[in-house]
Amino acid sequence: MSEKKPSLWLRAYSISVYGLIYAPILILIVFSFNTQKLNIRWEGFTLDWYKVLFNDSRILLATRNTLIIAFISTLVATIIGTMAALAMHRYRFPLYNLSETVMYIPIVIPEVVMGISLLVFFVMINFTLGLTTITLSHIAFNIPFVALVVRARLHGYDKAIDEAAMDLGANELTTFWRVTLPTIMPGVLSGAMLALTLSLDDYVITYFTAGPGSTTLPLRVFSMVKTAVTPEINALSTIWVLIIFILLVIGQISQKKKA
Amino acid sequence: MISGQVGETPKSKFSLTKILRENSRAQGFFLISPTNIYLFLLVVLPLILVTGLSFLSRGTYGQVEFTLNFSNYTRLFDPLYGKVMLFSLGVGVGTTVICILIGYPLAYFLAHAPIKQRSLLLFLILLPFWTNFIIRIFAWMIILRSGGILDSILQWLHITQGPLNLLYTPTAVMIGMVYEFLPFMVLPLYTSLEKIENSLLEAAADLGAPPYKAFLRVTLPLSVPGMIAGTILTFIPAMGMFVVPDILGGAKTILIGNVIRNQFLTARDWPFGAAASMVLMLMTMILTLYYTRKAGFGEELLV
């Protein structure tokens, strides 16, 4: 049964794929400390690009916009999506199948199509493009993802504990707040995490629904990439990557501890 | 419900809670309503508007004119746009195939790695993809540009003499796409490979099948659902992609996603852009439906 363990070739192959996956990010980080402006060859160590970055008012504004959009859209989508997941998991109601199908639309249609359709919609109802339209659009693509994640976690939820609470005299609302919600909280939180990352990362839908003054970080990075490529982008990327890595590692460790 | 009368609120609230308490169908409908209303307004309605728009005409100044028009669709099959469509299809299929070729051995490795290490190894594959998408593509721009890192390494190893000039070519676009979508192929493949019982392979070996034959006749067919899920997750976004061609393809590589974007933001021919969107959506939907019906899976898509 020698095929049970990965062969040396397969292991060597996999390690090199891992290397290729990480190489671009490592290169990005290394070049953020490079004195050369063109990002081509290593010339010397500097922290100047970080100074430039922290004095770049457009980046700071874009960061603020990105965070506002991400937090509001995550909060709203998590509440609405969790309600939807509970509905789909526990109840049968009119238009059940139709509701389920509609929830899959934002997941399966190409992003560019969703982007232009939102643009057409907002322009047709004369809604000025800006932070509000971006946030509304992010909620739209986040609801199905939250619902999907929470619903997956609801699999195997024992309804008997709810019934026990009600037998002991708790009403529906108390049961929900004191029993159901705490039990499904890990699922709700991972749904919220997914929504938050999708929102922070989104370029395509934001691009079509943004107006003047509502530039987000991905939009700003894109226009920097297209116009003036300097290691300032590398510095920004490095900080971004670090924050995400730290958050993910904390998330992993805290999950391990619970389990 | 939004009435501000203090005296009214408790009464109407009471009757609503009463209905909700007594009727579980009403409870479910109440919980799903925000989603239904929201997604109808911001997903279904906009798509209906785009469908309608695709049959209208562009006015002289880029405005939309309400005259029925089918030429938006016929124009898509002009030699000019037909070429773009074929090219997008080629890039979509190419990305998917390369992702399968690179991703399959990796998924196989993951499925056969010691159980204790598996979740860490999976986490390590996903980790870079939680960073921003534009940033990752930008990294490839640095690597691929002429005189850049890849050129330096290849010249240092004496594999090439001059610069390869890879940036702003279709090859660069494919590299970026494969990098971007590889995890979407590896994860579903891993899910279906991991489910294959070892006893099946042992049985094949007992019956005298050499390992390569056992792989071809047992492992490969059983991993088809994962491959299909991975294909859908890769092919749909690859077809609509316009960011990767924008950054790595320069002006030379134009995909259907770029055509749609340009019609809406620069050329201002919304009806034509809407028609292109409809065709893109139909193409991806037909593929998805065809494969999901054929394979009858679900779990692999949800990882």
Side-chain angles (χ1 to χ4, degrees), chain A residues 80-101:
Chain A
I80 297 181
T82 303
M83 285 171 73
L86 282 167
M88 308 296 299
H89 183 253
R90 295 191 169 175
Y91 300 97
R92 289 292 168 271
F93 46 83
L95 305 178
Y96 186 94
N97 288 331
L98 184 66
S99 308
E100 196 177 25
T101 309

Side-chain angles (χ1 to χ4, degrees), chain B residues 76-129:
Chain B
L76 277 170
F77 300 97
D78 275 1
L80 177 68
Y81 291 108
K83 235 190 222 163
V84 173
M85 302 264 283
L86 277 180
F87 186 62
S88 314
L89 208 62
V91 170
V93 172
T95 304
T96 311
V97 170
I98 298 175
C99 280
I100 292 177
L101 292 178
I102 298 178
Y104 201 102
L106 187 63
Y108 190 88
F109 164 78
L110 286 168
H112 292 257
I115 294 175
K116 273 187 192 163
Q117 294 168 19
R118 264 184 225 168
S119 64
L120 179 68
L121 288 168
L122 271 174
F123 178 66
L124 283 178
I125 287 191
L126 287 176
L127 190 59
F129 295 91

Side-chain angles (χ1 to χ4, degrees), chain A residues 74 138 195 242:
Chain A
T74 301
H138 281 210
L242 270 179

